Amino acid sequence: MTVPQQASEGSRAVKRTIEFIRHHRLQKGDRLPSERELSDRFGVTRSSVREALAVLDALRLTERRPKSGIFLRNALEDSGLDSLVIQANLDLPFDERTMRDVSEARVIFETHAIRLACARRTDADLNRLRELVANYADRVQAELNVANEDVEFHLAMAAASQNAIIVRTLTPLFLMSFQWRQKYFSSPVIRRRSLADHQEFVATIADRDETRAAALVQKHVHSAFDEVRAMAEGNEQPESHNQWEGQDQ
Amino acid sequence: MTVPQQASEGSRAVKRTIEFIRHHRLQKGDRLPSERELSDRFGVTRSSVREALAVLDALRLTERRPKSGIFLRNALEDSGLDSLVIQANLDLPFDERTMRDVSEARVIFETHAIRLACARRTDADLNRLRELVANYADRVQAELNVANEDVEFHLAMAAASQNAIIVRTLTPLFLMSFQWRQKYFSSPVIRRRSLADHQEFVATIADRDETRAAALVQKHVHSAFDEVRAMAEGNEQPESHNQWEGQDQ
DNA sequence: CCTACCAATCTGGTAGGTCCAGATTGGTAT
DNA sequence: ATACCAATCTGGACCTACCAGATTGGTAGG
């Protein structure tokens, strides 16, 4: 995956802007301060602010009206899925509701993905999945973290559905959870359990057994989310309202 | 929806860069020319190029390695869904396979959305849907285009699922088809047929009739895509490989 | 007092320049 | 063939300047 570099000023400006929107509770249609004022506030150049605004525009969060101002196009919660990845990378917190929705959506999307994979998977898909599981097993044996390999495997299953849009939909849902995925897979017990599931996934896809595959998705994803939830509640400071905040690793 | 402004240099730089990647058939891991060279090629300032690269970074298409270069992180087809919206807004074409996948994904996602909507919709959701249909009916009566209203209605149905992630997933799938949606709804016959479907949607959601609702989604979406496909093939120049290219309106 | 109008001001868009420090690279000396 | 070092290239950030249209506030006219 990506090596966590230090955030550039441009990215910091994105973070500051999102925090500004949050803090001032700006709503759809509200106007942001001018680029010049934002650059003053944030202590960066207008160039950096403009870079950030270009990103927020791309995410459909803001709209820059020439000679007029910067306006909020959507509430933070209405932007595209890619903004979740960016928020996660910037260590911005998610609320409980978002995490619940992500969990539910992932089950729905991945269930369909694996159903399609059972129906349409090619031998090449199957071989790739077997390779990935073998590699996964090696790493589990070597007591290594498999957070990245887990994402790789799940995306490979999705790819076997032969529908690139489904893959592109699931990708951000995985990437946004990179932080706590790392924590989740720090447990050897969990790694072994996960490996067993993956092996079963491959078997069901090989047999084109949609029903068993779909059931397995439910179990696999739900248990993962339950586990993470439990971990978060265990480590949680009592006064923290948000157990899903990204953690530095 | 959004008024199509003239593209800024920053957006043009995005377009030029994507075209560059396409034209030179760059693959994952390949290196792009330096910012300075791109700004020369495109005839814009480095600032504009940097704005564009910030966007492509956010879309997970490129990766900027400080003091090293710009590298392709993903193939164009592996980026997030939001990039589809941007490509559509820049009048960049989609290939047939993407459109097929979008159609399939939309049916899957929206079917689940409406199932959840049947189970969970509140009275407020229902009222909003009725309002939207009433407005829709007025516009059909007045022989007005209902492209935007159609999106609004479908997103409102998705919102009734009480899962924001599903809404955020469907949104780009609608927005990317803004161009030909406009054409599709230029036909009064289609507008009337669509209105009838929407009225039936509301009825099924009111009755919480999941089965009928799901069946209706299949019919509604498939017929729409078939229609658009037929329209595109009809107007198509024989040598065009791509009938999904965005059209100016 | 209200309205119409106009000029100063503010805004985003773009250009062009500078400096920095680390990565890359190619040639040189060993 | 290898080790090393200096010139070069790269992205990151800052700064100033200009443009033209949108906005706005005050003024003149009704």
Side-chain angles (χ1 to χ4, degrees):
Chain A
M1 210 73 23
T2 22
V3 188
Q5 303 277 357
Q6 85 242 358
S8 68
E9 290 303 319
S11 292
R12 294 196 338 100
V14 171
K15 183 173 185 175
R16 297 291 303 274
T17 308
I18 292 179
E19 286 171 341
F20 181 92
I21 294 171
R22 271 216 230 277
H23 182 260
H24 292 268
R25 289 172 172 54
L26 297 187
Q27 300 300 319
K28 179 195 296 197
D30 285 353
R31 189 187 151 162
L32 276 75
S34 71
E35 297 181 348
R36 290 169 176 87
E37 187 178 338
L38 287 178
S39 74
D40 277 349
R41 275 181 193 269
F42 300 161
V44 297
T45 355
R46 189 150 87 99
S47 317
S48 299
V49 171
R50 281 188 60 78
E51 249 185 77
L53 292 176
V55 170
L56 297 183
D57 269 20
L59 299 173
R60 297 192 302 284
L61 260 169
T62 61
E63 182 184 349
R64 292 184 283 180
R65 303 205 193 120
K67 286 98 194 186
S68 173
I70 306 156
F71 298 85
L72 221 63
R73 187 197 295 264
N74 283 313
L76 277 174
E77 305 77 30
D78 292 338
S79 58
L81 293 187
D82 291 340
S83 78
L84 292 175
V85 180
I86 292 179
Q87 287 184 56
N89 289 340
L90 294 175
D91 289 320
L92 289 165
F94 298 111
D95 57 25
E96 167 65 24
R97 185 177 181 281
T98 298
M99 293 308 300
R100 195 171 38 73
D101 289 353
V102 166
S103 165
E104 180 175 87
R106 194 189 137 185
V107 172
I108 292 173
F109 298 163
E110 202 168 6
T111 300
H112 263 284
I114 204 169
R115 291 196 112 102
L116 290 176
C118 285
R120 300 177 181 168
R121 61 101 178 138
T122 64
D123 290 345
D125 292 326
L126 201 55
N127 287 335
R128 167 143 177 76
L129 287 172
R130 285 182 168 138
E131 274 176 33
L132 289 174
V133 167
N135 176 248
Y136 198 100
D138 289 346
R139 289 184 65 90
V140 169
Q141 196 68 30
E143 299 279 343
L144 295 171
N145 194 300
V146 289
N148 292 339
E149 286 71 17
D150 186 71
V151 173
E152 221 177 354
F153 178 80
H154 280 275
L155 287 180
M157 283 202 298
S161 76
Q162 317 298 328
N163 185 315
I165 295 296
I166 294 180
V167 180
R168 292 164 81 159
T169 303
L170 280 168
T171 302
L173 299 186
F174 285 115
L175 293 183
M176 70 174 283
S177 58
F178 181 74
Q179 316 264 13
W180 52 263
R181 181 176 297 275
Q182 205 79 24
K183 291 198 65 173
Y184 175 65
F185 283 105
S186 62
S187 154
V189 180
I190 285 181
R191 287 200 288 261
R192 275 171 228 289
R193 191 198 303 164
S194 180
L195 171 61
D197 280 355
H198 285 206
Q199 286 165 333
E200 196 175 342
F201 271 129
V202 173
T204 58
I205 292 177
D207 296 345
R208 303 187 184 277
D209 188 342
E210 279 192 33
T211 313
R212 198 150 67 94
L216 188 54
V217 171
Q218 317 265 338
K219 177 200 141 204
H220 187 72
V221 178
H222 277 142
S223 79
F225 268 88
D226 289 346
E227 189 71 39
V228 170
R229 202 175 303 263
M231 284 167 44
E233 276 166 12
N235 305 8
E236 189 181 11
Q237 305 92 325
E239 65 275 14
S240 167
H241 281 187
N242 197 312
Q243 62 270 52
W244 299 104
E245 185 153 3
Q247 326 246 350
D248 304 41
Q249 8 183 359
Chain B
M1 212 72 18
T2 25
V3 188
Q5 301 279 357
Q6 87 244 357
S8 69
E9 289 304 320
S11 293
R12 294 198 337 102
V14 172
K15 182 173 184 176
R16 296 292 303 271
T17 308
I18 292 179
E19 285 173 340
F20 181 92
I21 294 170
R22 270 217 233 276
H23 182 261
H24 292 268
R25 289 172 171 53
L26 297 186
Q27 300 299 319
K28 180 195 294 195
D30 285 352
R31 190 189 149 159
L32 277 73
S34 71
E35 297 181 347
R36 290 169 176 86
E37 187 179 337
L38 287 178
S39 73
D40 276 349
R41 275 180 192 269
F42 300 162
V44 297
T45 10
R46 190 148 87 100
S47 319
S48 300
V49 171
R50 282 188 61 77
E51 250 186 76
L53 292 176
V55 170
L56 297 182
D57 269 20
L59 299 174
R60 296 192 303 285
L61 260 170
T62 61
E63 181 185 350
R64 290 183 285 178
R65 303 208 192 117
K67 287 98 193 183
S68 174
I70 307 155
F71 298 85
L72 220 63
R73 187 197 294 265
N74 284 313
L76 278 173
E77 305 77 30
D78 292 338
S79 58
L81 292 187
D82 291 339
S83 77
L84 293 175
V85 181
I86 293 180
Q87 289 184 53
N89 287 342
L90 294 176
D91 288 322
L92 289 164
F94 297 112
D95 57 25
E96 166 66 23
R97 184 175 182 283
T98 298
M99 294 308 301
R100 196 170 38 75
D101 289 353
V102 166
S103 164
E104 181 176 85
R106 195 191 136 184
V107 172
I108 292 173
F109 298 162
E110 202 167 8
T111 299
H112 264 284
I114 205 170
R115 291 196 112 101
L116 291 176
C118 285
R120 302 176 179 168
R121 60 102 178 138
T122 66
D123 289 345
D125 292 326
L126 202 55
N127 286 335
R128 167 143 177 76
L129 287 172
R130 285 183 168 136
E131 276 176 33
L132 288 174
V133 166
N135 176 250
Y136 199 100
D138 288 346
R139 289 185 64 91
V140 169
Q141 196 67 31
E143 301 277 343
L144 296 170
N145 194 302
V146 288
N148 292 338
E149 286 71 18
D150 185 71
V151 173
E152 222 177 356
F153 178 79
H154 280 276
L155 287 180
M157 284 203 297
S161 75
Q162 317 298 327
N163 185 313
I165 295 295
I166 295 180
V167 179
R168 290 164 81 158
T169 302
L170 280 168
T171 302
L173 299 186
F174 284 115
L175 292 184
M176 69 174 283
S177 58
F178 181 74
Q179 314 267 13
W180 53 263
R181 181 176 297 277
Q182 206 78 24
K183 290 199 66 174
Y184 176 65
F185 284 106
S186 61
S187 152
V189 180
I190 286 182
R191 287 199 289 261
R192 274 172 227 289
R193 192 197 303 165
S194 178
L195 171 60
D197 281 355
H198 284 204
Q199 287 165 333
E200 196 175 342
F201 271 128
V202 173
T204 58
I205 292 177
D207 296 346
R208 302 186 186 278
D209 187 343
E210 279 193 33
T211 313
R212 198 151 65 95
L216 188 54
V217 171
Q218 316 266 338
K219 176 200 141 203
H220 187 70
V221 177
H222 277 142
S223 79
F225 268 87
D226 289 347
E227 189 69 40
V228 171
R229 200 176 302 264
M231 282 167 46
E233 277 166 12
N235 302 10
E236 188 181 10
Q237 307 92 322
E239 65 274 15
S240 167
H241 283 186
N242 197 312
Q243 62 269 53
W244 300 102
E245 185 155 2
Q247 327 246 353
D248 304 40
Q249 12 186 354

